[in-house]
Amino acid sequence: MINQVVVVGRIQRIFDDSMVELRVALTDSDAHVIVPILLSLNLYDNLKRYCIEEDIIGVKGRLIDKAGHLMVEASKVSFLSSHGEEGGSINDSSE
């Protein structure tokens, strides 16, 4: 079975423990869902450097169950709109 997901959304909150929450809009609605994203230290450091809350990012990763909560473990983050430099993407090279 392939376990791969791509999520695009606005950064809702950046935590201090390599976690970020994305606000993802639902189709044909003003509603949204909050998706927790687990980042490697490398991805987290770059996200903290180039992004702030409300920036739009894309995340490629896989679904994991951590302590009974479903979340995305990121392998790549793309900065689609950030307050830092022009958009770009970063792969997790720690794998």
Side-chain angles (χ1 to χ4, degrees):
M1 179 187 319
I2 297 175
N3 180 1
Q4 190 170 338
V5 64
V6 175
V7 181
V8 176
R10 289 195 180 273
I11 298 173
Q12 176 75 22
R13 185 171 175 197
I14 301 172
F15 296 93
D16 290 331
D17 60 353
S18 298
M19 290 283 300
V20 64
E21 286 180 339
L22 284 188
R23 186 175 67 242
V24 179
L26 299 177
T27 305
D28 299 330
S29 172
D30 289 336
H32 64 272
V33 294
I34 303 299
V35 178
I37 310 290
L38 178 63
L39 303 167
S40 68
L41 189 55
N42 178 44
L43 292 176
Y44 180 74
D45 287 344
N46 284 303
L47 183 113
K48 290 279 285 184
R49 182 178 308 137
Y50 295 110
C51 295
I52 59 173
E53 291 177 0
E54 295 300 317
D55 283 347
I56 300 172
I57 63 171
V59 176
K60 177 182 173 186
R62 63 187 184 105
L63 292 174
I64 62 169
D65 181 0
K66 186 169 182 181
H69 298 284
L70 192 62
M71 62 183 58
V72 175
E73 182 179 51
S75 61
K76 179 179 180 179
V77 175
S78 297
F79 306 135
L80 303 176
S81 75
S82 67
H83 75 286
E85 300 176 6
E86 294 280 325
S89 64
I90 297 173
N91 289 307
D92 182 6
S93 59
S94 64
E95 293 181 359

